[in-house]
Amino acid sequence: MSHPVQIKNALISVYYKDNLEPIIHELSRLGVNIYSTGGTETFIRSLGAEVIAVEDLTSYPSILGGRVKTLHPKVFGGILARRNFESDEQQLAQYEIPEIDLVIVDLYPFEETVKSGAGQADVIEKIDIGGISLIRAAAKNFKDVVIVASKDDYIELGEILKTQNGKTTIDQRRSFAQRAFNITSHYDTAIFEYFNQDEQLPVFKQSIQKSQTLRYGENPHQKGVFYGNLDAMFTKLHGKELSYNNLVDVDAAVSLIDEFTEPTIAILKHTNACGIASRSFIKEAWIDALACDPVSAFGGVIIANEEIDADTAREINKIFFEVLIAPAYTDEAVQVLREKKNRIILIRQPVELPLKQFKTLLNGVIEQDKDLVVEGPDQMRTVTEKQPTEQELKDLFFANKVVKHTKSNTIVFAKNNQLMASGVGQTSRVDSLKQAVIKAAEFGFDLNGAVMASDAFFPFNDCVQLAAEAGITAVLQPGGSIKDQDSIDMANQKRISMVMTGVRHFKH
């Protein structure tokens, strides 16, 4: 073993005592002196093990309601002393300080207390001082000290104590120290975020403890990792692990479907909806969503906001798809969908999603609020001589939800709560419109009586002219161009209605 250290003295003070008992028994078997405080000391005594109160070591009681217990040179000296420094060893002997070779300490549940909705006083009391200081001290001196800062590491420690008879290697101690510093940095980030809820300090801090290594990134030559807890959000019923590109599409699918309350199914490719429809029944929603663009639907991500029944599953089963997401499935539907192995079937769980978005850019990070607004009929201001009908207002609302979640520049055609066609990601708005007209014709959609939504204003009147000539009868746009009047005049000339919302929905 490389630079082995025999554990002779241990300090144990933990909030969570789950699975601690086997550790105590192993330490007792090895004849290790155990120092402890408070509830942990009582717990150790209840196991019949010998334990020395920290107060007996320091000759100083726990004070201030337990706020100060271990903050003492006889504790920290024993942890921080360098075993190969003669002067450190001399001072330990001079002040009768035992070398502490093992520290098992966790932290007060600060994040859990915040999430519980507790008041400020309770939250403040869960800011750990002694524990985090002990962890940092032991981790800093990993060359001589083992630090275990999480109950998740108890099993590993127990195996080391059992198989190595209380000796640890430098690699093992460094690994424990690495995990300990991860815990302390995450803890401090959580505390800072609590105090910076008003964002008075414009700094960027993120700490996510769970991660999942992906098969690769966007392309096979790129590494990929997801940071977060996918198991909390989805229950996987079938299929392989989600890939990087799957996750990007799933994120877009979740954001889109959350705009709808009536039974709705959406099909996405490369984060854009190639089909979406809202109907009275989920099977009808699937049939009409697929009709929009059955070619692009191949290999797509499908998401529903209602339970998938067996009849709907049989219809979906007719095409190849990558991922299917729904809040529930009937047992028979699951049996049908499991017939083919190369597909991922997920149940979406109710999880609170972040309200911010961020990504790396240049030599830094950009962050923004999520686009959580969508304008309905009450926010639509008619600017033309002709008023939109009640049905057109409903269709404009539907189209506006879709256009908000489609790559700019984008144009969306919709009718009767169904996407008819869209033009996405073009460098000019008129090209997006032309693309949408071609797609609609390709799949046999009659645009007469359909509506059009645009994610941003029309710089010229050509989009309105072409849309009207294709059969569009109502148009939604945010407005804001210095040439808005030209588009309004064209709408009046073509005898179609136009509404403005005042809100742009770029998506890059």
Side-chain angles (χ1 to χ4, degrees):
M1 292 187 285
S2 175
H3 183 40
V5 170
Q6 180 71 49
I7 297 172
K8 303 178 293 297
N9 299 297
L11 172 65
I12 307 175
S13 181
V14 295
Y15 188 89
Y16 298 105
K17 298 169 183 64
D18 309 356
N19 301 317
L20 182 62
E21 182 176 350
I23 302 292
I24 302 302
H25 290 317
E26 274 302 312
L27 292 173
S28 297
R29 179 184 70 81
L30 293 167
V32 174
N33 297 315
I34 301 175
Y35 297 87
S36 190
T37 64
T40 308
E41 178 190 346
T42 302
F43 174 77
I44 294 171
R45 290 191 192 283
S46 73
L47 299 176
E50 292 186 12
V51 59
I52 303 167
V54 167
E55 291 93 330
D56 293 340
L57 170 65
T58 63
S59 300
Y60 215 91
S62 171
I63 63 173
L64 306 181
R67 278 189 164 197
V68 180
K69 291 184 287 189
T70 55
L71 296 168
H72 193 282
K74 280 206 169 183
V75 175
F76 281 86
I79 295 170
L80 287 166
R82 293 157 292 188
R83 305 325 193 236
N84 59 340
F85 274 52
E86 185 177 348
S87 59
D88 284 10
E89 293 291 333
Q90 289 174 349
Q91 287 187 319
L92 290 182
Q94 179 183 354
Y95 297 108
E96 299 180 340
I97 300 173
E99 293 178 345
I100 297 177
D101 316 293
L102 169 64
V103 175
I104 304 176
V105 173
D106 60 12
L107 300 172
Y108 291 155
F110 177 83
E111 287 181 281
E112 292 85 345
T113 305
V114 172
K115 289 176 183 176
S116 73
Q120 179 174 293
D122 290 333
V123 171
I124 297 302
E125 283 307 308
K126 289 298 184 289
I127 297 177
D128 207 311
I129 302 301
I132 204 163
S133 300
L134 290 167
I135 291 171
R136 289 176 62 85
K140 175 178 179 177
N141 201 23
F142 70 91
K143 287 186 176 180
D144 299 304
V145 180
V146 183
I147 173 61
V148 175
S150 170
K151 60 184 180 181
D152 294 338
D153 294 330
Y154 287 176
I155 292 176
E156 181 178 348
L157 175 64
E159 283 299 308
I160 290 172
L161 294 175
K162 190 179 298 183
T163 60
Q164 297 173 199
N165 287 318
K167 287 186 178 180
T168 61
T169 69
I170 185 66
D171 290 340
Q172 289 168 339
R173 295 192 298 277
R174 184 182 180 86
S175 176
F176 280 121
Q178 180 187 49
R179 283 172 264 177
F181 280 125
N182 176 46
I183 288 170
T184 60
S185 65
H186 177 79
Y187 195 78
D188 283 337
T189 297
I191 294 170
F192 170 77
E193 293 295 342
Y194 175 78
F195 278 93
N196 198 42
Q197 292 178 66
D198 56 4
E199 299 182 357
Q200 286 189 357
L201 282 178
V203 298
F204 181 82
K205 289 182 184 289
Q206 284 288 327
S207 179
I208 301 173
Q209 293 289 72
K210 289 185 176 292
S211 66
Q212 179 177 322
T213 301
L214 306 174
R215 295 195 300 275
Y216 50 80
E218 199 163 10
N219 299 290
H221 63 277
Q222 296 170 274
K223 291 182 180 179
V225 180
F226 174 80
Y227 294 98
N229 187 2
L230 281 177
D231 292 337
M233 182 145 191
F234 299 111
T235 299
K236 187 173 70 173
L237 301 180
H238 183 68
K240 57 190 177 182
E241 297 299 323
L242 289 164
S243 69
Y244 181 100
N245 292 327
N246 288 155
L247 287 167
V248 173
D249 283 336
V250 166
D251 177 68
V254 166
S255 296
L256 174 60
I257 204 70
D258 282 352
E259 302 283 2
F260 299 88
T261 55
E262 58 272 40
T264 302
I265 287 189
I267 311 165
L268 288 88
K269 285 289 287 289
H270 301 291
T271 75
N272 296 307
C274 57
I276 182 170
S278 298
R279 293 292 182 260
S280 299
F281 301 99
I282 205 70
K283 179 181 175 181
E284 295 172 354
W286 164 253
I287 291 170
D288 289 342
L290 179 63
C292 176
D293 186 348
V295 175
S296 295
F298 181 86
V301 169
I302 305 167
I303 190 164
N305 62 359
E306 286 207 352
E307 181 181 69
I308 300 295
D309 57 35
D311 286 345
T312 307
R314 290 187 189 96
E315 290 296 322
I316 295 174
N317 208 35
K318 293 176 182 178
I319 75 162
F320 169 72
F321 62 86
E322 286 273 350
V323 184
L324 173 60
I325 308 163
Y329 303 82
T330 65
D331 291 342
E332 189 177 354
V334 173
Q335 290 178 0
V336 170
L337 295 166
R338 281 176 169 166
E339 290 175 359
K340 300 176 183 178
K341 65 178 183 178
N342 289 325
R343 52 174 53 160
I344 302 168
I345 312 298
L346 303 174
I347 296 176
R348 182 182 173 188
Q349 305 295 344
V351 171
E352 185 177 350
L353 298 174
L355 300 179
K356 299 278 189 180
Q357 295 173 309
F358 62 88
K359 65 179 179 180
T360 58
L361 188 148
L362 300 176
N363 62 341
V365 173
I366 55 173
E367 181 184 70
Q368 66 172 354
D369 297 332
K370 274 189 175 178
D371 186 356
L372 297 175
V373 301
V374 64
E375 305 71 49
D378 291 344
Q379 292 79 43
M380 296 176 189
R381 179 173 61 91
T382 303
V383 295
T384 49
E385 296 167 0
K386 183 180 179 182
Q387 296 282 329
T389 66
E390 184 177 346
Q391 183 59 48
E392 285 172 339
L393 286 173
K394 290 179 180 178
D395 286 338
L396 287 170
F397 188 25
F398 179 92
N400 198 30
K401 292 176 181 180
V402 178
V403 84
K404 168 185 166 182
H405 294 278
T406 308
K407 290 287 187 182
S408 302
N409 289 311
T410 182
I411 293 291
V412 165
F413 295 151
K415 186 177 181 180
N416 297 328
N417 285 338
Q418 179 186 23
L419 175 64
M420 304 185 80
S422 61
V424 305
Q426 299 301 302
T427 51
S428 73
R429 196 156 301 281
V430 70
D431 281 347
S432 292
L433 189 146
K434 291 175 181 177
Q435 182 189 63
V437 171
I438 292 170
K439 294 280 280 188
E442 183 179 352
F443 295 108
F445 284 103
D446 181 3
L447 293 178
N448 286 294
V451 304
M452 175 176 81
S454 174
D455 63 326
F457 65 64
F458 300 116
F460 307 103
N461 64 10
D462 50 359
C463 284
V464 178
Q465 179 182 352
L466 291 172
E469 291 172 356
I472 297 298
T473 56
V475 176
L476 176 145
Q477 62 143 323
S481 168
I482 59 174
K483 294 186 177 182
D484 275 348
Q485 193 59 49
D486 290 353
S487 294
I488 296 170
D489 291 343
M490 179 58 68
N492 286 330
Q493 180 183 327
K494 295 294 185 179
R495 300 187 59 78
I496 66 174
S497 62
M498 178 185 290
V499 300
M500 292 186 179
T501 63
V503 179
R504 187 183 72 187
H505 290 293
F506 270 165
K507 186 184 178 190
H508 291 98

